[in-house]
Amino acid sequence: MILFSIFLACSSSKKVDPSATQVVEEKEVVQGELHGSFPPENLPPIEFTALNYDGTERNKDALLGHPTVMWFYPYAQTTGWTIQGCGFRDLYESFQALGVEIVAVGFSSVEDNAEWVEAKEFQFEIWSDTDRSLGLYYGAATSADQSAASRVTKILDSDGKLVLEYNSANFMSNPQDVLEDCQILFSE
C-alpha cells in the first residue's frame, strides 16, 4: 500500500491543456506539440550572480540575446546527471544551429564543476548557484539551505523570459525532448 501511495504521489502532475497556445519569439506554439509545459507565467530574468566552472562570474546578461536551455542538476559527477549532461553535450551542435545556449546549474562547487567539465568534455557552461537564487526563482529549490537542486529544465527566450519548463526531467530523454521543443520554438 505504501509503494502504491508513493507511485501515485510521484506520478501525479498538473493538467496540461494540449490546445493552449503561447507566442514565443513571434511564433504561435501549441502546447500539444511540445514535450515541456507552458509555465503558469513567463517569468522575466532576475538579477543574480553565479560562478561558471572556470571561475568567471555570470549574471542576468548571460541569459539575454539568445534562447537558453537551463537545466538544473543535483550533484556534479553523479551517474544520472552525467548521462543528462552527456546528452546535452552530444546534441550541442544541434542546439547551436538553432542559436540556443545551454547552461547547467547546480549547487556544487566551482572546483567540482570544473572537474566534471574536464572529465566529460562539456562544451557548455556549468554554473555554481551557491546562494540558490536561480534555484529558488526557477523552482529547483524550495529553500536557501537545500543541499541539492531539483531535477528541472527551463527554456528561456532571447529576452530571458521563461517560456517552457520540464518539472520532473527524465535524465535519459530530457536532452532530446528539449532539442525537439527548441526546434519547434526557435527554428526559422
Side-chain angles (χ1 to χ4, degrees), residues 73-159:
Y73 64 92
Y75 298 102
Q77 301 192 58
T78 55
T79 304
W81 324 123
T82 297
I83 291 169
Q84 186 175 14
C86 289
F88 282 114
R89 178 200 64 201
D90 296 346
L91 297 170
Y92 186 76
E93 288 181 19
S94 297
F95 282 101
Q96 289 288 284
L98 296 168
V100 176
E101 294 296 329
I102 298 171
V103 175
V105 181
F107 308 153
S108 296
S109 70
V110 171
E111 295 78 19
D112 286 346
N113 289 341
E115 289 175 20
W116 196 27
V117 167
E118 185 176 333
K120 297 302 172 185
E121 299 178 353
F122 294 142
Q123 316 93 314
F124 48 84
E125 296 195 353
I126 298 184
W127 296 350
S128 183
D129 182 26
T130 56
D131 67 358
R132 313 315 193 244
S133 58
L134 289 169
L136 289 164
Y137 189 69
Y138 290 109
T142 56
S143 72
D145 61 352
Q146 186 170 320
S147 64
S150 297
R151 183 182 47 189
V152 298
T153 302
K154 309 295 178 170
I155 297 179
L156 312 177
D157 68 9
S158 59
D159 294 326

Side-chain angles (χ1 to χ4, degrees), residues 149-182:
S150 297
R151 183 182 47 189
V152 298
T153 302
K154 309 295 178 170
I155 297 179
L156 312 177
D157 68 9
S158 59
D159 294 326
K161 290 188 311 190
L162 175 64
V163 295
L164 204 62
E165 58 188 3
Y166 310 76
N167 286 325
S168 61
N170 177 316
F171 60 82
M172 297 290 287
S173 63
N174 181 248
Q176 182 64 45
D177 292 347
V178 172
L179 176 60
E180 290 172 10
D181 287 351
C182 285

